[in-house]
Amino acid sequence: MPETTASAAAKDTTGAAPAGKVSLGTGPGRLLVTLYGIFTVAAASRSIYQLIAQFDRAPLAYGLSAVSAVVYGFITFSLVRGGEGARRAAIVCCGLELLGVFGIGTWTLVDRAAFPDATVWSDYGMGYLFIPVILPVTGLIWLRRARAKAAA
C-alpha cells in the first residue's frame, strides 16, 4: 500500500528525530542505552535472587539493589523514548542516581555493619568498576548536550 505524504514525511532515512523531538538514544546516547540496559538486567537479576533466597541476610542491601534496578530501567526507557519530557525525567533520575551512589557509597564506608552484602552502589560502585558513578555523570552531560542540539 502506498505511503501517504504525511507518513512519508514523518519517516527519516538518516535516523534523526522528527522536528521538535529530542533524540536521546542515538550517537553517544546509544552507548548509554546499552550500559543502562545491562545495569538494569544485572541489578534486577541480582536483587530478585537475593530478595528471594537471602532476604534475612541483608534486606537493606538487597532492597537498595532493587531500587537501583528500577532507576536504571526508568533511565533506559527515557533514553529510548526520547523527547523533551523524557529528557527531563532522565535528568531527574540521573541526578537521583548520582545522589544514591554518593549517599549509599558513603553509608557503606561509614557503617559496614548495615551492609553485610554489597549493593550496586556500595563503595561508590567499586564492585562494578566504578561505572555506577561514571554513568550518571555521563548521562547528565549527554542529556544537556542533547537539549542544546535540539535548541540549535
Side-chain angles (χ1 to χ4, degrees), residues 50-135:
Q50 289 173 325
L51 286 169
I52 292 170
Q54 304 167 333
F55 181 77
D56 57 329
R57 189 168 147 192
L60 176 63
Y62 304 152
L64 289 171
S65 286
V67 169
S68 70
V70 171
V71 170
Y72 290 142
F74 188 81
I75 294 170
T76 304
F77 175 77
S78 296
L79 290 171
V80 169
R81 184 164 188 262
E84 184 57 24
R87 189 190 69 78
R88 286 187 201 140
I91 284 175
V92 169
C93 278
C94 283
L96 290 173
E97 174 192 2
L98 191 57
L99 286 172
V101 171
F102 284 129
I104 301 304
T106 302
W107 192 2
T108 57
L109 295 176
V110 172
D111 186 10
R112 292 261 182 219
F115 294 90
D117 263 354
T119 73
V120 176
W121 296 340
S122 292
D123 304 316
Y124 308 108
M126 186 169 65
Y128 289 85
L129 305 174
F130 296 103
I131 293 172
V133 147
I134 297 165
L135 206 52

Side-chain angles (χ1 to χ4, degrees), residues 4-75:
T4 64
T5 309
S7 66
K11 275 190 172 179
D12 186 354
T13 58
T14 64
K21 180 153 181 166
V22 180
S23 178
L24 304 174
T26 60
R30 188 167 293 172
L31 177 60
L32 284 173
V33 167
T34 302
L35 289 172
Y36 271 114
I38 290 168
F39 269 73
T40 300
V41 172
S45 301
R46 176 182 178 172
S47 65
I48 289 169
Y49 168 76
Q50 289 173 325
L51 286 169
I52 292 170
Q54 304 167 333
F55 181 77
D56 57 329
R57 189 168 147 192
L60 176 63
Y62 304 152
L64 289 171
S65 286
V67 169
S68 70
V70 171
V71 170
Y72 290 142
F74 188 81
I75 294 170

